[in-house]
Amino acid sequence: MASEMLYPIMPIYLKTIGFSIVLIGILEGVAEAVAGLSKGYFGKLSDNSGKRVPFVQIGYTFSAISKPVVAFFIYPLWIFFARTIDRFGKGIRTGARDAILSDEATPETKGKVFGFQSICTMLASSLAGLIWYQFGASETFMVTGIATILILFYFVFWVRLKDGK
């Protein structure tokens, strides 16, 4: 959810700190490629190991660390590194998180569970735009970092799965 907060504002932010449109495209393309490739790999690894929560925890940890970094650095290499780490974290956690949602939902509630997750994602994107408009870039990145940390704490301290995975 917190990662989706950055989608609508990331190109605007990168442009304001001097990135060219081509560099923004390369950065986001590589970052999304990392996410896409790692989703398949870590999703399969999660399935094979039978563990879910550790992948979600590790993925959110990478994202929680990387989001605020983008707000503090303007050098393209650092931003590239931070965005790639954020997307790598998304790749690590997504398959396991979706498997948790699927495993914990009943056949009757599966659509509601994934629908609710999708609604939260859309609301987060809208919220980021409002935060950006009202407070600015640094604050938006800090809010997304805090949101990621809260999600991580949730998975560390409160998630207890039915089958103990």
Side-chain angles (χ1 to χ4, degrees):
M1 179 172 68
S3 292
E4 282 75 7
M5 291 177 82
L6 295 179
Y7 282 146
I9 61 167
M10 185 57 72
I12 298 166
Y13 172 70
L14 294 174
K15 189 76 174 136
T16 61
I17 63 170
F19 275 58
S20 69
I21 292 173
V22 172
L23 191 55
I24 293 170
I26 291 169
L27 169 70
E28 291 299 311
V30 170
E32 288 304 318
V34 167
L37 293 171
S38 59
K39 281 180 193 178
Y41 177 78
F42 287 104
K44 183 161 180 59
L45 195 60
S46 171
D47 288 344
N48 290 342
S49 71
K51 301 287 184 191
R52 306 280 189 227
V53 175
F55 288 93
V56 176
Q57 291 170 338
I58 292 167
Y60 277 118
T61 300
F62 276 125
S63 292
I65 292 168
S66 68
K67 280 181 181 58
V69 169
V70 175
F72 293 118
F73 296 105
I74 60 169
Y75 299 109
L77 189 58
W78 281 102
I79 301 244
F80 179 84
F81 179 70
R83 282 296 290 157
T84 303
I85 293 297
D86 176 46
R87 301 288 76 201
F88 183 63
K90 183 172 182 65
I92 293 171
R93 74 177 178 262
T94 298
R97 185 205 59 212
D98 289 349
I100 288 171
L101 293 174
S102 183
D103 291 345
E104 297 297 311
T106 65
E108 297 80 29
T109 62
K110 227 170 252 222
K112 290 178 184 176
V113 167
F114 281 98
F116 180 74
Q117 193 268 337
S118 181
I119 288 170
C120 289
T121 298
M122 286 186 270
L123 288 173
S125 293
S126 300
L127 181 62
L130 293 172
I131 294 169
W132 177 285
Y133 178 76
Q134 190 66 30
F135 300 104
S138 295
E139 291 79 2
T140 306
F141 286 106
M142 295 310 291
V143 167
T144 60
I146 290 167
T148 305
I149 290 168
L150 292 174
I151 293 167
L152 175 62
F153 282 159
Y154 173 75
F155 274 97
V156 169
F157 296 112
W158 286 286
V159 170
R160 301 293 176 254
L161 304 180
K162 290 185 234 179
D163 59 6
K165 292 181 183 177

